[in-house]
């Protein structure tokens, strides 16, 4: 049996595992058949099986969990489907690195054994990831957990491939692709990272055939000149008009190159003449096609030079660059070099510089699939939150390129294509064919490549519910409602899911797309394992607890912005948990005779209640209304700030402090009973409102409040109805009256704090008011002011004058005076204030110096600069206040 007694301190370690086990045993996260209920479904963005979760995952999944728990409490049959992505290239890189530590390559052990190792990795890491999600408090329907390489999912992938192939939307062709020499696979444009680096522009002289003259070309990649089959100039460039149609001779290899004119050439780049290497540059590839130029590959898949590179064969591409430049210099064909910002394309997994590479690959024609997805945005079927991300989506979709879907890997869905070794027929089939449909030969060989990871991921919202079978789950839970993700995969995943949903289901896969910020460290740098600035969520949970992790992240992540997080950030959430715990404990200490099973409290009217009671009920119902409104547009940061302010300030700092004298009265006293019942009702609502954000501590307090046995699986806060706002309890005029009382108390407290008045000393207070109405409000509620402001005597009037040796504060329609003569020692206070002024002046000077540093302003992230500007403004305000206070007591 749970009792009302709460331990003095909240210890998350003694609470969290117990409640998660309770929720699992009660099967509270499992969504059943609808049976008249409305469905609300979300599919988890499946974490990659490569590594454990980081803070970005913690933020993403906390947001989803808040929504799904909220909808569960609103009475929906809420389904949150979990799963894991096989992450083709990323996982393969990890397995290869592990083999390398043993001095082996994947070829040494073969495909079958390599895949066995990958599956073992999946089992080990997959379980660890799912356990992490549970530790974060995720209320997923674990019975429906999926993996992108499980049997059902694989069937869906093959079904899609065959469908698109039969519609002529999948084709095979030789094109320039992004090639990673380290991973030895192609990558789509969206799987690359781009950065600028300091490099050079080399000017190389090509001899004009049959002449002593030269044409000079500029290049940032001289090693690729060994694959040149042309030189190009702009047709409008008069400097080269007489050379078009002639030939140049490729240095070192002495190959004859056609000089062509093409609009693509920028006359302002280098000399206005460029080399054309169709096999190693996408623009040159297109140019080569237009002018019938040969495409000569000179680089091997591993980044070494092949026999077409002549004497440089076998060299690494960058070694070749050095050797080639050295030889050009000797032959006096290297005219000059200039510093140049070179744009590099990197592998998003291993950071290797990618090579534009001519290769035979499988592609999806994207434009026919993209058009319906563009219309879905334009006609409001899908919406982005924040909405500015819609422009990013639209720009990409309207400028879409064909998608290279083949990868030269072993881990993944093997391409469902077989080649007949006797008649060369290509067979596309979801299942392995028994023989060639053309010549009946059984000599069939399957394509060695696998499909891009995203080719399975784009099917996630419907294949997870059983497609291509027409399952009951698919009928109940597709389309889903919302997708939560980061901005970097809008193209890789979000857009493609919309296309797939429309193509295969005839409906968008979700209506709402919430884009949250990217987690950064305290310096504004994106957290990453390679930089060593990441924070393990489990370390935070161990130190502060899960609820502190969750609520802190939401509090510091404004809508549409990147949060800057350090380990200490999570003290915010820890302190909030403690505040809630201590407030609950205080209330429980006054519940000795209350029997929840006999006296079920529900307040629907404020009749007969005191001002403070009616005020807290008004503030509660205002907060409930705001939460519901903000939830419609996924403004989680605004929601938790609303609740944080209500709980911490309105409820704990004000209401509980105000009712303390009433709770000291006899338990039979009507004032005691009213205060207690209101406190219990408000706490009950607070626990329900905060439960989606802080599920563990709220479940613990709720069970203690209602003395529910932990073995009673019919009762859980998880399934309690979400509070509804009662309009009749919202009173704006009453809140204004209470704001007047609060502003007086704030003024008294601020004066006491700024003038360093001892908390033990009570003060005389005088209030000069402008109107009879303000006088009446303060007079009627002076007991609150006396108790909360530590006031000895209180005088209120229209004609009150400021006493000598007193401090003052101006509030709306009134002025507060606090005589200080017997409360502080002027000499000691003067010295203290002077020291404080010196301290903050020094801090201000340092901040101004930093903000005057051009190097800091150029290099520092925007958030850090804004933080320094805010610091400067704060220091200036503090100094201004201190100087004002010093001025007030000088000469006493």
């Amino acid at each position: 049996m749970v009792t009302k007694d709460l331990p003095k301190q909240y210890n998350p370690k003694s609470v969290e595992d117990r409640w998660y086990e309770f929720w699992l045993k009660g099967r509270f996260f499992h969504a059943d058949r609808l049976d008249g209920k409305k469905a609300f479904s979300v599919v988890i963005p499946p974490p990659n099986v490569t590594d454990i979760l980081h803070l970005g995952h913690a933020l993403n999944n906390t947001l989803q969990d808040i929504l799904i728990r909220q909808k569960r409490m609103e009475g929906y049959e809420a389904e949150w489907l979990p799963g894991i992505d096989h992450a083709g290239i990323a996982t393969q890189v990890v397995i290869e690195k592990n083999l390398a530590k043993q001095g082996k390559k994947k070829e040494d052990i073969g495909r079958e054994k390599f895949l066995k190792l990958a599956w073992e990795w999946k089992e080990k890491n997959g379980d660890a990831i799912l356990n992490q999600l549970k530790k974060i408090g995720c209320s997923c329907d674990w019975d429906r957990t999926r993996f992108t390489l499980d049997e059902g999912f694989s069937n869906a992938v093959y079904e899609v491939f065959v469908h698109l192939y039969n519609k002529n939307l999948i084709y095979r062709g030789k094109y320039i692709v992004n090639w990673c020499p380290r991973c030895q696979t192609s990558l789509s444009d969206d799987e690359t990272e781009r950065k600028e680096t300091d490099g050079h522009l080399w000017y190389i002289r090509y001899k004009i055939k049959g002449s002593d003259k030269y044409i000079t070309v500029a290049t940032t990649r001289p090693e690729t000149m060994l694959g040149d089959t042309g030189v190009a100039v702009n047709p409008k460039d008069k400097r080269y008009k007489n050379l078009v149609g002639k030939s140049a001779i490729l240095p070192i290899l002495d190959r004859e190159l056609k000089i062509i004119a093409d609009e693509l050439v920028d006359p302002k780049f280098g000399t206005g003449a460029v080399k054309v290497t169709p096999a190693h540059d996408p623009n040159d590839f297109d140019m080569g096609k237009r002018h019938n130029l040969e495409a000569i590959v000179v680089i091997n898949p591993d980044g070494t030079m092949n026999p077409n590179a002549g004497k440089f064969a076998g060299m690494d591409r960058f070694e070749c660059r050095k050797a080639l430049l050295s030889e050009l210099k000797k032959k006096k064909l290297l005219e000059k070099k200039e510093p140049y910002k070179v744009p590099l394309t990197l592998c998003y997994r291993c950071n290797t510089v990618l090579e534009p590479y001519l290769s035979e690959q499988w592609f999806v024609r994207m434009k026919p699939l993209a058009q319906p997805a563009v219309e879905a945005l334009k006609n409001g079927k899908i919406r982005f939150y924040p909405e500015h991300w819609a422009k990013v989506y639209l720009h990409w979709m309207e400028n879409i390129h064909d998608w290279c879907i083949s990868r030269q890997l072993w881990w993944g869905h093997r391409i469902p294509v077989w080649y007949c070794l006797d008649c060369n027929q290509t067979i596309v089939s979801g299942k392995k064919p028994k023989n060639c449909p053309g010549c009946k030969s059984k000599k069939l060989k399957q394509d060695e490549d696998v499909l891009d990871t995203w080719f399975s991921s784009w099917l996630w919202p419907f294949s997870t519910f059983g497609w291509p079978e027409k399952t009951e789950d698919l009928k109940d839970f597709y389309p889903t409602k919302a997708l939560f993700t980061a901005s970097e995969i809008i193209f890789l995943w979000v857009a493609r899911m919309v296309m797939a949903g429309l193509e295969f289901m005839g409906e968008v896969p979700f209506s709402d797309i919430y884009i949250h910020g990217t987690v950064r460290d305290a310096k504004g740098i994106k957290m990453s394992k390679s930089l060593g600035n990441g924070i393990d969520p489990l370390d935070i949970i161990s130190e502060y607890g899960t609820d502190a992790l969750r609520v802190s992240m939401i509090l510091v992540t404004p809508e549409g912005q990147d949060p800057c997080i350090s380990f200490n950030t999570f003290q915010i959430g820890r302190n909030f948990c403690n505040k809630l715990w201590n407030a609950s404990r205080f209330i429980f200490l006054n519940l000795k005779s209350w029997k929840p099973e006999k006296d079920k409290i529900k307040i629907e009217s404020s009749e007969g209640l005191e001002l403070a009671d009616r005020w807290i009920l008004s503030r509660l119902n205002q907060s409930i209304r705001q939460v519901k409104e903000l939830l419609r547009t996924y403004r989680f940061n605004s929601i938790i700030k609303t609740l944080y302010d209500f709980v911490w300030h309105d409820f704990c700092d004000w209401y509980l402090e105000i009712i303390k004298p009433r709770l000291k009265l006899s338990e039979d006293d009507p004032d005691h009973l009213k205060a207690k019942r209101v406190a219990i009702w408000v706490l009950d609502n607070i626990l329900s409102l905060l439960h989606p954000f802080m599920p563990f501590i709220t479940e613990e307090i709720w069970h203690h409040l209602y003395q529910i046995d932990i073995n009673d699986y019919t009762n859980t806060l998880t399934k309690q109805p979400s509070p509804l706002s009662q309009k009749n309890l919202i009173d704006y005029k009453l809140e204004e009256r209470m704001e007047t009382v609060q502003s007086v108390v704030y003024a008294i407290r601020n004066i006491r704090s700024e003038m360093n008045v001892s908390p033990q000393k009570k003060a005389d207070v005088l209030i000069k008011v402008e109107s009879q109405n303000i006088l009446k409000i303060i007079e009627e509620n002076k007991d609150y002011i006396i108790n909360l402001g530590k006031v000895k005597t209180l005088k209120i009037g229209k004609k009150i004058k400021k006493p000598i040796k007193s401090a003052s504060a101006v509030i709306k329609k009134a002025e507060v005076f606090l005589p200080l003569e017997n409360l502080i020692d002027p000499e000691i206070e003067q010295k203290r204030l002077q020291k404080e002024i010196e301290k903050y002046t020094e801090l201000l000077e340092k901040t101004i110096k930093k903000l005057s540093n051009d190097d800091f302003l150029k290099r520092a992230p925007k958030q850090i600069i804004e933080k320094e500007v805010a610091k400067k403004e704060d220091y200036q305000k503090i100094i201004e206040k201190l100087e004002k206070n010093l001025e007030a007591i000088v000469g006493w």
Side-chain angles (χ1 to χ4, degrees):
M1 175 71 75
V2 176
T3 67
K4 286 200 292 280
D5 297 325
L6 283 180
K8 195 170 182 180
Q9 289 183 320
Y10 175 58
N11 179 10
K13 289 179 182 175
S14 68
V15 167
E16 291 172 358
D17 288 345
R18 171 162 46 89
W19 284 121
Y20 202 88
E21 192 60 34
F22 170 84
W23 294 326
L24 289 179
K25 280 186 179 176
R27 290 176 59 76
F28 300 124
F29 304 157
H30 179 71
D32 292 315
R33 292 299 317 286
L34 296 186
D35 194 25
K37 274 189 177 184
K38 281 184 77 176
F40 188 95
S41 56
V42 173
V43 289
I44 201 170
N48 288 348
V49 77
T50 44
D51 209 346
I52 58 169
L53 306 186
H54 51 65
L55 271 187
H57 292 107
L59 172 62
N60 177 275
N61 287 291
T62 295
L63 289 165
Q64 291 175 83
D65 193 50
I66 290 166
L67 182 66
I68 211 76
R69 284 179 182 272
Q70 178 66 35
K71 293 302 173 183
R72 205 175 275 130
M73 294 176 80
E74 288 178 9
Y76 287 89
E77 195 62 51
E79 166 63 24
W80 185 16
L81 187 144
I84 297 171
D85 196 293
H86 68 279
I89 187 170
T91 304
Q92 179 138 338
V93 167
V94 170
I95 306 300
E96 286 182 10
K97 282 181 178 177
N98 290 342
L99 283 172
K101 289 173 187 174
Q102 303 167 33
K104 294 178 183 176
K105 292 182 178 179
K106 69 179 190 296
E107 290 79 11
D108 296 334
I109 63 169
R111 190 168 194 149
E112 193 176 328
K113 285 185 179 177
F114 182 88
L115 291 175
K116 186 172 180 286
L117 290 175
W119 276 102
E120 286 170 2
W121 176 270
K122 179 265 170 185
E123 293 304 318
K124 176 189 163 192
N125 247 42
D127 288 347
I129 289 166
L130 295 180
N131 286 331
Q132 268 189 303
L133 289 170
K134 291 173 184 176
K135 202 73 180 163
I136 292 166
C138 295
S139 58
C140 299
D141 185 352
W142 302 109
D143 296 339
R144 289 187 170 98
T145 303
R146 297 300 302 268
F147 178 53
T148 52
L149 272 179
D150 67 31
E151 187 180 352
F153 216 103
S154 297
N155 290 338
V157 168
Y158 299 142
E159 177 92 5
V160 164
F161 188 97
V162 173
H163 169 91
L164 294 176
Y165 181 83
N166 289 338
K167 281 186 76 172
N168 198 31
L169 291 176
I170 282 182
Y171 64 95
R172 196 182 192 206
K174 254 191 171 181
Y175 292 91
I176 292 283
V177 295
N178 300 298
W179 185 268
C180 177
R182 154 65 187 80
C183 302
Q184 292 200 37
T185 184
S186 60
L187 297 169
S188 68
D189 289 342
D190 307 307
E191 293 174 304
T192 65
E193 291 181 359
R194 297 172 195 279
K195 75 167 188 179
E196 273 195 351
T197 188
D198 292 327
H200 293 95
L201 195 59
W202 284 277
Y203 290 76
I204 303 167
R205 303 169 74 209
Y206 287 34
K207 196 172 188 300
I208 306 297
K209 184 183 177 186
S211 166
D212 293 332
K213 293 182 179 178
Y214 292 84
I215 184 169
T216 302
V217 301
T219 180
T220 58
R221 298 166 63 222
E223 67 279 6
T224 61
M225 68 180 285
L226 301 169
D228 285 0
T229 55
V231 172
V233 297
N234 190 289
K236 294 175 184 174
D237 195 333
K238 293 176 183 176
R239 293 173 295 175
Y240 302 112
K241 198 171 184 181
N242 64 326
L243 293 179
V244 175
K246 294 185 179 181
S247 296
I249 304 299
L250 178 65
I252 300 172
L253 293 184
D254 294 331
R255 185 186 303 131
E256 191 173 321
L257 310 175
K258 189 178 174 185
I259 300 175
I260 60 172
D262 196 284
E263 294 281 356
L264 192 65
V265 179
D266 179 3
K268 294 177 183 176
F269 176 78
T271 63
V274 296
K275 58 191 219 53
V276 185
T277 321
H280 292 284
D281 184 277
N283 291 328
D284 291 7
F285 177 78
D286 291 339
M287 213 186 296
K289 275 193 148 188
R290 283 195 292 274
H291 297 277
N292 297 313
L293 300 180
E294 186 183 359
I296 301 173
V297 176
V298 294
I299 301 176
N300 287 315
D302 64 357
T304 60
M305 307 307 290
N306 72 16
N308 289 331
K311 64 172 78 175
F312 303 102
M315 286 186 183
D316 174 78
R317 55 186 166 154
F318 299 121
E319 285 175 21
C320 171
R321 179 182 294 181
K322 287 179 188 175
L324 182 60
L325 288 169
S326 175
E327 185 151 345
L328 288 169
K329 197 173 181 181
K330 283 178 190 172
K331 292 179 178 288
K332 296 185 179 178
L333 295 174
L334 186 60
E335 194 170 289
K336 62 175 179 175
K337 73 172 181 179
E338 291 176 347
Y340 190 77
K341 288 284 184 187
V342 179
L344 292 181
T345 308
L346 308 173
C347 175
Y348 80 118
R349 281 299 169 193
C350 68
N351 224 34
T352 300
V353 176
L354 298 180
E355 196 63 45
Y357 195 71
L358 184 62
S359 176
E360 195 163 38
Q361 303 289 341
W362 288 93
F363 295 85
V364 177
R365 298 184 207 279
M366 298 302 282
K367 284 189 179 176
L369 296 170
Q371 194 50 46
V374 168
E375 291 305 315
L377 178 72
K378 289 181 176 178
N379 62 26
K381 285 185 178 178
I382 59 169
R383 294 173 296 275
F384 279 86
Y385 301 88
E387 62 182 358
H388 68 264
W389 290 111
K391 291 178 183 175
V392 177
Y393 168 94
L394 204 57
H395 176 76
W396 186 77
M397 293 293 263
E398 289 177 342
N399 296 277
I400 201 164
H401 299 289
D402 285 358
W403 174 17
C404 175
I405 56 169
S406 46
R407 297 291 179 271
Q408 290 63 51
L409 303 170
W410 287 352
W411 176 243
H413 296 99
R414 197 158 171 186
I415 289 176
V417 173
W418 284 262
Y419 306 103
C420 177
L421 299 179
D422 284 337
C423 73
N424 295 323
Q425 184 170 339
T426 297
I427 306 135
V428 176
S429 171
K431 293 179 181 176
K432 184 179 179 180
K434 291 180 181 177
N435 53 38
C436 172
C439 69
K440 308 303 178 187
S441 169
K442 292 189 176 182
K443 293 179 182 178
L444 304 177
K445 186 181 180 184
Q446 188 173 0
D447 197 302
E448 293 289 334
D449 292 350
V450 300
L451 289 161
D452 178 12
T453 294
W454 300 102
F455 194 85
S456 51
S457 303
W458 73 326
L459 314 179
W460 186 253
F462 52 90
S463 59
T464 47
F465 290 120
W467 188 92
E469 302 301 319
K470 292 180 179 178
T471 64
E472 293 297 330
D473 277 0
L474 195 62
K475 180 183 169 185
D476 287 344
F477 300 119
Y478 187 90
T480 65
K481 176 62 179 174
L483 177 79
F484 291 72
T485 189
S487 60
E488 55 260 35
I489 55 173
I490 289 176
F491 315 136
L492 282 167
W493 194 43
V494 179
R496 288 172 180 162
M497 281 192 287
V498 176
M499 289 186 268
L502 289 166
E503 174 69 17
F504 299 103
M505 294 295 296
E507 288 183 88
V508 292
F510 32 72
S511 55
D512 299 344
I513 302 153
Y514 179 80
I515 306 293
H516 57 74
T518 299
V519 178
R520 299 180 181 276
D521 66 14
K523 294 177 182 175
I525 300 166
K526 183 180 174 181
M527 284 190 181
S528 77
K529 192 175 178 182
S530 59
L531 290 174
N533 65 343
I535 299 173
D536 187 340
L538 295 184
D539 290 342
I540 302 300
I541 290 169
S542 177
E543 181 72 20
Y544 297 115
T546 300
D547 290 327
L549 168 81
R550 291 164 63 108
V551 81
S552 298
M553 284 192 301
I554 308 304
L555 275 167
V556 300
T557 307
E559 285 87 11
Q561 295 181 39
D562 295 347
C564 293
I565 292 177
S566 69
F567 203 88
N568 292 337
T569 298
F570 300 94
Q571 291 176 5
I572 303 168
R574 188 266 318 271
N575 295 343
F576 188 46
C577 288
N578 289 341
K579 189 80 171 178
L580 178 64
W581 186 263
N582 292 335
S584 304
R585 193 167 178 274
F586 167 75
I587 293 169
F588 287 6
L589 291 172
N590 292 279
L591 300 185
K592 290 171 187 171
S593 62
W594 180 62
K595 304 291 182 190
E597 67 278 6
K598 293 180 181 177
D599 181 14
K600 294 187 176 176
I601 296 169
K602 185 173 183 181
I603 296 176
E604 295 178 326
S605 167
S606 59
E607 193 177 335
L609 297 176
E610 277 200 20
L611 172 80
D613 301 332
R614 287 180 284 132
W615 169 75
I616 197 66
L617 290 171
S618 181
R619 292 296 306 123
L620 168 66
N621 284 281
Q622 279 263 47
S623 299
I624 293 170
R625 182 183 59 78
Q626 286 170 17
V627 166
K628 301 295 181 186
E629 285 177 4
L630 291 165
L631 190 65
R632 288 192 196 105
T633 50
Y634 303 96
R635 295 179 62 190
F636 297 100
N637 175 258
S638 299
I639 292 169
I640 194 58
K641 280 185 174 176
T642 298
L643 294 177
Y644 181 96
D645 288 342
F646 173 73
V647 173
W648 193 296
H649 301 299
D650 294 343
F651 187 60
C652 297
D653 288 354
W654 287 98
Y655 184 68
L656 294 185
E657 290 299 319
I658 287 170
I659 66 170
K660 276 180 180 178
R662 292 163 66 191
L663 292 178
K664 288 177 183 174
L665 301 171
S666 161
E667 286 197 76
D668 297 329
D669 190 289
D671 277 349
H672 172 98
L673 285 170
K674 287 174 188 174
K676 182 166 71 179
R677 290 174 69 79
V678 171
I680 291 169
W681 175 244
V682 175
L683 177 62
D684 175 274
N685 278 265
I686 284 170
L687 296 175
S688 293
L689 289 166
L690 284 176
H691 182 68
F693 293 84
M694 307 159 70
F696 296 101
I697 190 171
T698 50
E699 185 81 78
E700 177 77 0
I701 294 169
W702 188 81
H703 266 72
H704 276 278
L705 177 63
Y706 291 108
Q707 302 170 53
I708 298 166
D709 195 309
I710 197 167
N711 295 312
D712 178 1
Y713 292 104
T714 61
N715 267 312
T716 171
L717 184 53
T718 294
K719 291 282 190 176
Q720 289 302 303
S722 182
L724 298 173
S725 180
Q726 295 170 262
K727 285 183 183 178
N728 64 303
L729 293 177
I730 296 174
D731 188 332
Y732 295 105
K733 288 185 178 178
L734 179 142
E735 287 190 33
E736 280 181 23
R737 294 207 299 278
M738 190 64 185
E739 278 172 22
T740 300
V741 175
Q742 287 176 308
S743 64
V744 172
V745 175
Y746 275 130
I748 296 167
R749 286 175 173 174
N750 285 342
I751 293 170
R752 293 181 66 106
S753 172
E754 287 172 12
M755 302 311 294
N756 207 30
V757 176
S758 167
Q760 278 72 45
K761 292 182 180 179
K762 289 197 171 186
D764 296 321
V765 174
L766 299 91
I767 304 173
K768 181 184 178 181
V769 297
E770 291 179 11
S771 68
Q772 193 64 31
N773 183 46
I774 297 295
L775 190 147
K776 187 185 176 189
I777 291 170
I778 295 173
E779 190 67 50
E780 285 177 352
N781 299 286
K782 63 183 179 183
D783 287 347
Y784 295 159
I785 295 168
I786 289 166
N787 288 332
L788 298 172
K790 296 186 178 176
V791 175
K792 185 162 64 176
T793 62
L794 179 63
K795 289 183 182 178
I796 314 155
K798 288 184 180 180
K799 296 181 181 179
I800 284 174
K801 292 181 180 178
K802 181 181 179 181
I804 58 168
K805 298 180 182 179
S806 67
S808 65
V810 178
I811 61 171
K812 192 178 179 182
K813 297 183 180 178
E815 198 170 356
V816 179
F817 305 119
L818 200 149
L820 296 168
E821 193 169 8
N822 299 316
L823 295 176
I824 63 170
D825 183 318
E827 282 186 36
I828 293 172
E829 187 58 16
Q830 277 186 52
K831 286 178 183 175
R832 185 189 73 82
L833 288 169
Q834 281 164 346
K835 276 188 180 178
E836 287 288 291
I837 290 167
E838 287 168 14
K839 173 182 143 187
Y840 283 103
T841 301
E842 190 180 331
L843 289 169
L844 177 62
E845 286 169 356
K846 282 182 182 175
T847 306
I848 289 171
K849 190 178 177 182
K850 190 180 273 189
L851 288 169
S852 303
N853 185 326
D854 288 338
D855 193 49
F856 169 74
L857 295 174
K858 281 177 190 172
R859 293 176 179 273
K862 185 184 173 186
Q863 298 100 315
I864 301 300
I865 295 169
E866 286 172 356
K867 200 179 275 187
E868 290 299 318
V869 170
K871 262 200 235 174
K872 184 184 102 170
E873 290 167 0
D874 288 344
Y875 294 152
Q876 286 169 332
K877 285 175 188 173
I878 291 167
I879 292 166
E880 193 181 321
K881 272 188 182 179
L882 292 168
E883 286 175 342
K884 187 182 173 187
N885 293 339
L886 180 61
E887 189 183 333
I889 60 173
V890 169
W892 280 16

